[in-house]
Amino acid sequence: AFMMIFRSKYFSFLNHFFNSPIFTSQSGLFLTATINQLTSSTLNNFYIAIPDSISEQTTIANYLDHKTTQIDTLIAKKEQFISLLQEERTAVINQAVTKGLDPKVKMKDSGIEWLGEIPEHWKLMRVGSLSQCITGFAFKSDNFSFENGIKIVRGDNVTENSLRWGDKTRYWNEYSEVLDRFQLQKNDIVIGMDGSKVGKNYAYVEEKDLPLLLVQRVARIRSNSELIAKWIHFNIGTYNFKYYINLSKTDPAIPHITLKNITSYPICIPDINELNLIIEKLNSKLEKLDETLKKSKQEIELLKEYKTALISEVVTGKIDVRNEVLN
């Protein structure tokens, strides 16, 4: 159901046409604001420019097969590089917030099997004793606005270490004093409490994000100290937190965690001077890694744009590939 088969002797050419902006632009004319759908009647009436010669169609398809495979291979390599960078980023954070910067420091048993040893002079505390944690307000989704008001942080907006908006953006424009408690502030941390990526989806709220309102099933962690807030944020980005959440979450079909799971998470913490030094060093190291990650992601986007443009130019005949030699 809701699928369609196209069977044609022009299949190799059509395959690339369906992946071109020409097809996307035509299909976009028939989408609605409620349920996006295309009918077989609509699809069968789309226009397409196609060479009369089967040989020329095959030449075009072969050329695009070859070029898009090269681009896809390069994208895959860059994605693998990004994955390795992200692993390195997490490992750097994990080491700093559980072992500190001094490899020769005297250690002690934390008493928690998965945490292992921690620096002897560090304290072991819970998130709940370092911050104030709440879940959001039970907004009625029927009253969400798509255009104006205060942005609402829903589970869909919380991704791995960032907030995402775009088509996921929803607004609330019915003011009530009750909502004051659920307004987010700079340095708050939000955590998605449901879904397959529970434990991975979290974000640090910055000034540029505000104003924001918090919806139910998203947790908010707030500290009176920006330094402590950043320390908690770094800890939530570790392998340890993901492992802890994996142990804590319930219902494999629809994984979710409770506020108690979050507030009970153990964090080891040094004195204020060492804390400040570790965060300073971490920020410096992560800034370089994040810049490389950003550049690599931009390169992938440019490759995807190039691929789309190439397909469009070739399937519409703007680039003649009949005499191209593939290598």
Side-chain angles (χ1 to χ4, degrees), residues 109-129:
D109 185 5
S110 67
I112 300 172
E113 184 179 355
W114 51 263
L115 182 55
E117 291 188 329
I118 63 173
E120 188 179 47
H121 61 291
W122 286 22
K123 295 178 182 178
L124 194 61
M125 304 182 74
R126 305 280 176 181
V127 166
S129 63

Side-chain angles (χ1 to χ4, degrees), residues 250-255:
T250 58
D251 191 352
I254 309 175

Side-chain angles (χ1 to χ4, degrees), residues 2 43 48 55 65 67 70 90 93 143 147 151 164 179 185-186 189 204-205 219 231 241 251 254 256 279 286 290 297:
F2 305 106
L43 287 168
I48 176 173
S55 174
D65 283 342
K67 290 296 183 182
Q70 287 182 327
T90 304
I93 294 171
N143 294 340
E147 297 178 357
K151 281 193 290 191
R164 62 176 174 180
L179 298 181
Q185 299 176 8
K186 179 185 175 183
I189 301 156
Y204 193 80
V205 178
W231 188 253
F241 184 75
D251 191 352
I254 309 175
H256 62 273
I279 288 178
L286 294 178
D290 289 342
K297 289 176 181 178

Side-chain angles (χ1 to χ4, degrees), residues 135 191-195 198-199 217 219 241 244-246 248-250 254-262:
T135 55
I191 301 178
M193 300 174 70
D194 296 304
V198 65
R217 303 307 303 153
F241 184 75
Y244 168 82
I245 290 299
N246 194 49
S248 305
K249 66 184 180 183
T250 58
I254 309 175
H256 62 273
I257 55 173
T258 66
L259 193 62
K260 185 177 180 181
N261 294 146
I262 296 171

Side-chain angles (χ1 to χ4, degrees), residues 147-247:
E147 297 178 357
N148 53 60
I150 300 179
K151 281 193 290 191
I152 298 173
V153 177
R154 303 176 299 138
D156 283 345
N157 302 121
V158 186
T159 185
E160 294 187 52
N161 201 26
S162 65
L163 292 170
R164 62 176 174 180
W165 302 108
D167 62 348
K168 304 291 183 183
T169 307
R170 301 291 184 272
Y171 300 89
W172 191 261
N173 50 32
E174 298 176 15
Y175 174 75
S176 166
E177 289 184 2
V178 174
L179 298 181
D180 288 345
R181 181 168 179 255
F182 303 100
Q183 292 219 36
L184 293 172
Q185 299 176 8
K186 179 185 175 183
N187 302 321
D188 282 347
I189 301 156
V190 291
I191 301 178
M193 300 174 70
D194 296 304
S196 60
K197 289 192 173 183
V198 65
K200 298 179 182 178
N201 289 355
Y202 67 99
Y204 193 80
V205 178
E206 300 181 35
E207 188 72 44
K208 63 180 177 63
D209 300 314
L210 301 174
L212 295 173
L213 286 168
L214 188 71
V215 78
Q216 63 181 346
R217 303 307 303 153
V218 180
R220 183 218 74 196
I221 300 173
R222 177 176 295 167
S223 173
N224 296 328
S225 162
E226 182 178 346
L227 205 60
I228 297 296
K230 288 182 176 179
W231 188 253
I232 293 173
H233 175 243
F234 279 135
N235 272 270
I236 288 172
T238 62
Y239 295 121
N240 287 342
F241 184 75
K242 294 178 179 65
Y243 180 77
Y244 168 82
I245 290 299
N246 194 49
L247 293 176

